[in-house]
Amino acid sequence: MRNGLYNAFSVLFFVLTLAVITGVVALLAFPAPVDTAVAQLPTFAPDLPSVTPTATGTATFTPTRTLPPTFTPAPPTATPSATATLTSTARATDTPTVTHTPSSTPTPTETPIPFPYRVLDAPEFRANFANSLGCDWQGVGGQVFDLAGQELSAEMAAGLRVHVISDTIDTTVRVGTNSFYGERTGWEVQTSTSLVAELLYVRLELADGTPQSNDAQVTFPADCEGNAAIVVFAVNPGFAP
């Protein structure tokens, strides 16, 4: 009897289930009409209230420095000590010495010539007159005077000679051997056979070569109008043997 009851319930539930399924299929196949006036949805989106966010302060985290357990503070750096600055000390200024200004300037005196004779004047240059060679000759000549401005006597002139020296010549000639330059004391030395700008020195000597005068400097101009140089010696009034 119990089994029959169960069977009856099973058949009932089966029938009900089949009815539900049949109804759902019918609804899906034949849906009910829709009233467009009632069921039309709005075509615009309603305005929603805008929400203004409120700024919320954010807490700032300030980290704190935590030393590690093994931290050892570094020793302080030594501060260099200031170096000494040398200060220049001004030297005492030398006091200028007073320069004595002489009241009068002394007049220089002529240096005395330590010879019994001296060159009377600067050499005089003339055209060759004592021979016929003209410009093919160059030389020097002259005479010797006493304190009175006269030629020496033949006796005094006999022991004198003239020494002529240059880069190309070194010769002597006895005083009184050429009368074209002086009757008793005339002399002459040829130095070149052409016009040459040469320099030479002339002095009066004793026969043994002892100097008796200072040297006369002669510089020829290499000109036919000046190829004969005249050198005159005179007794030195200031000589004190």
Side-chain angles (χ1 to χ4, degrees), residues 9-209:
F9 279 116
S10 297
V11 173
L12 178 62
F13 281 115
F14 176 76
V15 173
L16 290 176
T17 300
L18 184 60
V20 171
I21 292 172
T22 302
V24 171
V25 172
L27 288 176
L28 292 177
F30 304 100
V34 178
D35 187 357
T36 59
V38 177
Q40 185 176 4
L41 296 177
T43 61
F44 64 91
D47 293 332
L48 298 176
S50 61
V51 178
T52 303
T54 303
T56 303
T58 304
T60 302
F61 174 71
T62 303
T64 57
R65 183 177 181 183
T66 302
L67 298 178
T70 59
F71 173 76
T72 301
T77 304
T79 302
S81 58
T83 57
T85 303
L86 296 179
T87 304
S88 175
T89 304
R91 289 186 171 183
T93 304
D94 294 335
T95 304
T97 57
V98 178
T99 303
H100 175 68
T101 303
S103 57
S104 61
T105 303
T107 301
T109 57
E110 184 178 355
T111 303
I113 300 173
F115 300 107
Y117 296 88
R118 63 189 176 93
V119 178
L120 185 60
D121 294 307
E124 177 188 356
F125 293 93
R126 298 171 56 182
N128 179 21
F129 64 93
N131 57 68
S132 60
L133 297 177
C135 295
D136 296 329
W137 179 94
Q138 185 166 283
V140 59
Q143 56 187 331
V144 183
F145 291 111
D146 61 15
L147 289 175
Q150 302 297 321
E151 276 192 287
L152 293 179
S153 64
E155 292 78 15
M156 294 182 64
L160 298 175
R161 72 179 187 181
V162 175
H163 192 174
V164 180
I165 305 169
S166 71
D167 292 338
T168 58
I169 190 171
D170 185 353
T171 188
T172 60
V173 61
R174 189 169 59 87
V175 172
T177 56
N178 193 315
S179 59
F180 281 99
Y181 294 89
E183 183 180 354
R184 296 186 298 272
T185 61
W187 58 271
E188 179 191 82
V189 174
Q190 182 177 354
T191 61
S192 177
T193 58
S194 61
L195 303 176
V196 181
E198 63 178 340
L199 168 66
L200 54 84
Y201 296 91
V202 182
R203 66 170 174 260
L204 197 63
E205 297 178 345
L206 293 177
D208 62 0

